[in-house]
Amino acid sequence: MTCKGCMERDNVSSGATMEFILLGFSELLHLRVLLFFTFLIVHLITLAGNMMIFIAVVMEPSRPPMLFFLGQLSAVELCYTLVIVPKALLSLAVGGSPISMLGCAAQMHFFVALGGAECFLLAAMAYDRYVAVCQPLRYAALMGEGLCLHLALACALGAFTVALGLTVAVFRLPFCQPCCIDHFFCDVPAVLRLACTQGYAAELALLAACVLLLLLPFLLILASYLCIAVALLGVTSLVGRGKAFSTCISHLAITLLHYGCATFIYIRPKSNYSPARDKVVSLVYTNVTPLMYPLIYSLRNKEIRGILRKMLRKKKIGELGYYQSCDVCVW
């Protein structure tokens, strides 16, 4: 699939009718079929895993704060993968997929908003772990249902606002290069590469968004875990330390996965941009990382394991009751 010319400054006003071309992995002709089915299988497993956790949390009548945040995180991951992966699969299927300028802006906005909401949620979960470890006697009073709802709402609104500002700033730029995006979705660095502005002015909006969506939550998470580490130094019992650390390990693993990829992609100058390298890293945080979340939490979180066991037990009891009723009908 070829690109459709260039977009000059005069054409920006009619941006809704313009098209970008998502090249995806069109250069890997001999691997496209393998990549397509690999992405599809990973996508379906990711959807099933996050849906399972979300349903488990919704069905639990008494939800502690960490379980509430896990449900929010799973909902974000569900939307996150649905924003990116279907278009990427289409790009693999046809060898390059067209997307309108408005569609590209919408995809970028929701991708940044959902990724930012995840960063804020990780910070809220870090605060929850800080209260649980450092102030256990006041945990129930501090982490009430009202505070959890307000934190979740603040995470969503804050990320949505920053993402909207970043998207507007990016698509106000003139695009005077060929309209081919060497990526499988409208990622910010890939779209910025098409802008014909000189210097670092085009990157200021991205830098501001990184400070608000990445650096600020990371500093809050770091402060929480520094307080937790100081508190654990005062615990003389190895069993007590191990128990406190086990409540944080799942959250730490998810935080390292999320921030490792995000830092590599977004916190660097435009001159270091490499399309091939970025696409490989993007595969990790749009496919592998969301797949790892349900695995990590289902294996490490005792509340999730308990709820899943209850769900399986109810299902078995329901099936047993169904078969017994069928036997009665036969007799």
Side-chain angles (χ1 to χ4, degrees):
M1 185 173 290
T2 58
C3 297
K4 298 181 180 180
C6 303
M7 285 191 293
E8 302 291 347
R9 183 68 180 178
D10 294 339
N11 292 332
V12 174
S13 60
S14 59
T17 62
M18 305 304 296
E19 279 191 338
F20 291 109
I21 302 297
L22 293 172
L23 296 179
F25 295 92
S26 55
E27 71 276 11
L28 302 177
L29 296 177
H30 56 293
L31 291 177
R32 269 173 42 198
V33 175
L34 176 61
L35 287 173
F36 176 84
F37 284 105
T38 302
F39 289 177
L40 180 60
I41 292 171
V42 170
H43 180 53
L44 294 177
I45 295 174
T46 301
L47 289 178
N50 282 291
M51 184 65 75
M52 176 184 66
I53 291 180
F54 181 73
I55 293 174
V57 172
V58 169
M59 292 182 65
E60 180 63 21
S62 58
R63 289 188 291 271
M66 180 54 78
L67 208 60
F68 173 79
F69 289 129
L70 279 180
Q72 300 294 316
L73 196 63
S74 294
V76 168
E77 285 300 317
L78 281 170
C79 299
Y80 186 82
T81 54
L82 288 172
V83 165
I84 301 300
V85 178
K87 196 68 178 177
L89 290 173
L90 179 62
S91 177
L92 279 170
V94 301
S97 174
I99 183 170
S100 68
M101 192 174 184
L102 185 60
C104 188
Q107 187 185 53
M108 179 186 293
H109 169 69
F110 285 114
F111 170 75
V112 175
L114 291 166
E118 186 171 337
C119 291
F120 287 140
L121 277 172
L122 290 173
M125 293 166 77
Y127 175 72
D128 173 78
R129 293 301 84 197
Y130 157 75
V131 176
V133 174
C134 299
Q135 303 186 48
L137 297 179
R138 300 180 59 200
Y139 182 77
L142 291 175
M143 296 302 296
E145 184 178 351
L147 177 62
C148 293
L149 288 172
H150 287 146
L151 285 175
L153 186 61
C155 291
L157 290 178
F160 182 91
T161 303
V162 175
L164 183 61
L166 174 60
T167 305
V168 170
V170 168
F171 282 90
R172 283 174 61 89
L173 297 171
F175 298 105
C176 55
Q177 297 183 22
C179 311
C180 295
I181 300 177
D182 195 0
H183 214 299
F184 54 88
F185 71 99
C186 290
D187 199 9
V188 180
V191 176
L192 279 178
R193 194 163 181 258
L194 303 182
C196 58
T197 55
Q198 299 295 325
Y200 293 95
E203 299 181 62
L204 292 179
L206 178 58
L207 178 62
C210 286
V211 169
L212 293 173
L213 297 180
L214 290 176
L215 184 59
L216 179 60
F218 179 75
L219 291 176
L220 293 174
I221 293 170
L222 185 62
S224 297
Y225 276 103
L226 284 176
C227 293
I228 290 173
V230 171
L232 290 181
L233 290 176
V235 178
T236 57
S237 170
L238 292 177
V239 176
R241 285 186 182 181
K243 185 177 180 181
F245 182 74
S246 67
T247 66
C248 303
I249 188 64
S250 298
H251 179 261
L252 275 173
I254 295 301
T255 302
L256 291 174
L257 278 171
H258 185 74
Y259 275 94
C261 294
T263 301
F264 179 84
I265 291 292
Y266 299 107
I267 305 180
R268 51 136 192 234
K270 185 178 177 181
S271 58
N272 291 341
Y273 177 77
S274 171
R277 183 179 58 194
D278 277 30
K279 282 191 287 187
V280 172
V281 178
S282 297
L283 282 178
V284 175
Y285 71 78
T286 58
N287 290 273
V288 179
T289 303
L291 175 66
M292 294 298 295
Y293 286 12
L295 295 177
I296 291 173
Y297 277 120
S298 62
L299 292 175
R300 295 293 310 175
N301 190 278
K302 62 180 183 180
E303 287 91 354
I304 290 291
R305 293 201 303 269
I307 294 172
L308 293 177
R309 279 196 293 266
K310 285 195 294 185
M311 288 175 63
L312 291 174
R313 196 177 302 121
K314 287 180 180 178
K315 183 179 179 181
K316 289 180 179 179
I317 293 174
E319 290 178 350
L320 181 61
Y322 172 77
Y323 288 128
Q324 288 176 344
S325 64
C326 287
D327 291 340
V328 170
C329 292
V330 170
W331 285 101

